[in-house]
Amino acid sequence: MTQKRDRWPSQLIFIFAAVGSAVGLGNFWRFPFLVGKYGGGAFLLPYLIILIVMGIPLLIMEFALGQRLQQGAIGAFNKIHHKFSGVGLGTILCGCLVSCYYAVIMAWAIIYMFHSFNLGWGTDTKTFFFEQVLHVSSGAAEMGSFNLPILAALAVSWVLVYFCVWKGVESVSRVVAVTMPLPVAVLAVLTIRGALLPGSWDGVLYYLTPNFAALLDDDVWRAAMSQIFFTLTLGFGVMIAYGSYEKRDSDISRNALIVALINSGTSILAGFAVFTTLGFMSTVSGTPIEELAASGPGLAFVVFPKVLTLIPAPNLFAVLFFIMMVTLAIDSLFSLVEAVSATFLDRFPHMSKKVTSFYVCAFCFLGGIIFTTSAGIYYLDIVDHFVTGYGLVIMSLLQAVVVGWYYGADKMRDYINSVSSWKLGPWWSTSIRYIVPGCLTLLLLMSLYRDLTTPYEGHPPAILFGLGWGSVAAVLLVSGIFSYVSSQPEEAAEESASEE
Ligand code: TRP
């Protein structure tokens, strides 16, 4: 069976693909919106600290797990011990939930791509986004009707993803070679343009001035952590699956470091593009930056169109920019579809990748329909808050505990060091065994306390309960049952497998 496993054609392609998965709407849409929401420089410092303390060690761990055990997430944890297979399934389920709404943001980008030809957003980009594009309702309690253009664009998104993924590693490699280099060039142009606008410096100051008082606010830390997980695609089983297509002797720590640096570099650059423009918008309109920055999940769609209009050859650039957003979203999304398919194929080798990928795409499409209603952006924000704040955190916590304590952090570290050029010191084991689980538990308890005492963003409790807590509970329940079933005696597990 091992000889049939897909392989990356080269190390470079592996790095491209992992960067392709990491760099996505998380960098262009989520990062700037969190920086704005949590007060600019106040967010940046926790973000960087968490990147170093948890992000990089965990990315190394996920690559190592896949590469060492040569299995997708469920298979890898199942190999460590049957009763841990639920951890693998849980990560995959979190990924599916994120994909449901992630594709909706990609759908917005597709709609903007069409508006780019005539810069249809005009000068008031905020009203355009919320009213013309989203037909946003007054609050989460008012669901409103389905928005047909977004629904159609959502369907298009999934068709695109499906066609990119269905041939497996081979097609992934080809797509990423094109989608990877483009964004950096486009961002550089936008940043330079942004920097030349009057008022841009105020934006830069807002973005970079550290706010040490904010370090005491646990909400900022929670947001920073969720962003690191989201942006590095950690806790979704994706990096495990990608690692499993590597040969056992490929360099792990170097690759992880390259991926993490390129990814955060892109986010920080995107931040410059957004905040220089915000500084300008604030100067022109007289509205304080803080107020403009607080557009929440709509920020990228308010700010980027604005700066695009101010560039020479705006139409061309705008089209290029939104094509880029769409391609960035595609390679992040198909990394998930790939991870889920890999996992299923490990278990049911007779199924074909085309079939499993189709089911994943169809499932996530259906799950995303609710986000195309007039209250979609609120629902999206709620599910994002809960799935990244709890689902991912719990799954990553369990992963670190299983690898650190059950499999053995030092055993894994010896393996990593035997193949890598950058040798990890004992700090890595300490991080996986103590620091990561400790910090995650602490943040988990603090956010539990906060979310149980104050409803997130003041949304109606029934909606928070159904969409937010409900999603988290579903993931935990299904994974728990799966672990229980998988840890039953071999014959029973065999039987249920052959029934499928
Ligand atoms: N890392 C990607 C980004 O920053 C997004 C991402 C993370 C993702 N996990 C995912 C997308 C799971 C789909 C499914 O944009």
Side-chain angles (χ1 to χ4, degrees):
M1 224 194 278
T2 345
Q3 76 273 17
K4 276 196 4 222
R5 192 157 196 88
D6 279 343
R7 289 276 170 233
W8 299 111
S10 71
Q11 282 299 294
L12 192 65
I13 296 286
F14 167 74
I15 291 177
F16 270 13
V19 170
S21 165
V23 177
L25 299 173
N27 307 60
F28 285 76
W29 158 77
R30 204 171 186 279
F31 176 79
F33 119 61
L34 290 180
V35 174
K37 181 168 170 185
Y38 292 98
F43 180 80
L44 215 52
L45 204 56
Y47 170 88
L48 292 174
I49 294 177
I50 297 212
L51 170 70
I52 294 168
V53 174
M54 295 208 259
I56 295 175
L58 278 173
L59 185 61
I60 295 176
M61 185 188 91
E62 290 208 5
F63 280 164
L65 260 177
Q67 186 172 314
R68 168 89 232 191
L69 302 170
Q70 294 287 307
Q71 297 269 327
I74 300 185
F77 280 97
N78 191 45
K79 248 187 177 174
I80 295 179
H81 193 286
H82 297 310
K83 66 175 181 251
F84 297 136
S85 31
V87 178
L89 182 69
T91 59
I92 298 276
L93 290 177
C94 287
C96 290
L97 284 173
V98 170
S99 305
C100 292
Y101 67 80
Y102 197 88
V104 176
I105 302 155
M106 175 171 162
W108 300 344
I110 293 182
I111 290 183
Y112 268 79
M113 206 168 80
F114 288 107
H115 288 299
S116 300
F117 290 100
N118 59 353
L119 304 179
W121 44 77
T123 46
D124 188 355
T125 50
K126 189 166 182 178
T127 314
F128 180 81
F129 175 66
F130 287 103
E131 289 173 18
Q132 313 271 101
V133 177
L134 296 189
H135 303 301
V136 74
S137 68
S138 59
E142 187 198 336
M143 183 160 117
S145 52
F146 292 101
N147 182 321
L148 290 181
I150 299 184
L151 191 59
L154 182 65
V156 171
S157 305
W158 281 111
V159 172
L160 286 174
V161 172
Y162 180 66
F163 282 108
C164 285
V165 85
W166 73 339
K167 283 210 176 122
V169 159
E170 188 197 326
S171 53
V172 175
S173 319
R174 234 176 295 133
V175 179
V176 287
V178 186
T179 54
M180 252 311 298
L182 182 67
V184 179
V186 173
L187 265 188
V189 174
L190 291 188
T191 307
I192 294 171
R193 179 62 188 125
L196 295 175
L197 293 170
S200 59
W201 187 243
D202 298 336
V204 174
L205 283 182
Y206 177 78
Y207 178 39
L208 295 185
T209 311
N211 173 348
F212 294 102
L215 295 183
L216 298 176
D217 180 359
D218 59 285
D219 215 25
V220 173
W221 288 94
R222 192 202 50 71
M225 180 191 58
S226 81
Q227 176 58 14
I228 290 294
F229 282 87
F230 191 94
T231 192
L232 287 175
T233 328
L234 287 175
F236 293 104
V238 169
M239 295 307 188
I240 302 181
Y242 273 18
S244 77
Y245 301 135
E246 282 270 74
K247 293 201 199 72
R248 278 233 164 102
D249 58 358
S250 311
D251 195 322
I252 294 174
S253 50
R254 184 203 58 191
N255 289 352
L257 201 61
I258 296 177
V259 172
L261 291 181
I262 298 184
N263 177 59
S264 288
T266 318
S267 286
I268 289 172
L269 196 57
F272 275 108
V274 167
F275 286 94
T276 47
T277 312
L278 270 183
F280 164 74
M281 288 167 75
S282 151
T283 310
V284 173
S285 65
T287 324
I289 297 192
E290 298 76 46
E291 211 170 292
L292 290 177
S295 309
L299 187 65
F301 289 87
V302 173
V303 174
F304 283 121
K306 189 81 192 178
V307 60
L308 285 167
T309 327
L310 301 169
I311 266 177
N315 311 50
L316 178 72
F317 237 94
V319 175
L320 205 64
F321 178 80
F322 284 105
I323 291 182
M324 174 200 83
M325 287 276 258
V326 170
T327 54
L328 279 173
I330 290 183
D331 51 16
S332 295
L333 270 180
F334 74 45
S335 69
L336 178 95
V337 179
E338 209 14 75
V340 180
S341 300
T343 292
F344 275 113
L345 292 173
D346 289 337
R347 213 172 155 122
F348 310 112
H350 58 277
M351 280 173 86
S352 90
K353 189 155 235 156
K354 285 189 183 149
V355 177
T356 47
S357 306
F358 176 79
Y359 284 131
V360 181
C361 292
F363 174 85
C364 294
F365 167 67
L366 294 177
I369 290 180
I370 180 169
F371 305 112
T372 66
T373 58
S374 300
I377 191 166
Y378 305 115
Y379 298 159
L380 193 153
D381 192 37
I382 294 172
V383 175
D384 180 66
H385 174 81
F386 282 87
V387 173
T388 59
Y390 296 96
L392 279 191
V393 172
I394 296 174
M395 289 307 150
S396 301
L397 175 64
L398 292 174
Q399 289 194 8
V401 170
V402 169
V403 173
W405 294 87
Y406 192 89
Y407 184 85
D410 281 327
K411 182 168 149 201
M412 193 58 105
R413 185 165 71 93
D414 287 342
Y415 164 65
I416 297 170
N417 284 344
S418 71
V419 295
S420 302
S421 47
W422 173 38
K423 309 285 179 215
L424 305 175
W427 61 267
W428 186 80
S429 308
T430 314
S431 172
I432 297 297
R433 279 165 75 96
Y434 302 99
I435 300 178
V436 170
C439 294
L440 290 180
T441 311
L442 192 69
L443 285 169
L444 199 60
L445 294 178
M446 289 194 304
S447 29
L448 259 181
Y449 175 76
R450 182 179 284 258
D451 278 323
L452 290 175
T453 49
T454 32
Y456 176 64
E457 297 285 310
H459 290 305
I463 293 180
L464 291 177
F465 191 77
L467 276 178
W469 298 112
S471 311
V472 178
V475 168
L476 294 182
L477 195 70
V478 174
S479 332
I481 295 178
F482 185 71
S483 259
Y484 177 75
V485 174
S486 314
S487 58
Q488 293 306 298
E490 249 342 83
E491 301 88 78
E494 286 299 336
E495 247 171 54
S496 62
S498 54
E499 261 168 34
E500 293 289 317

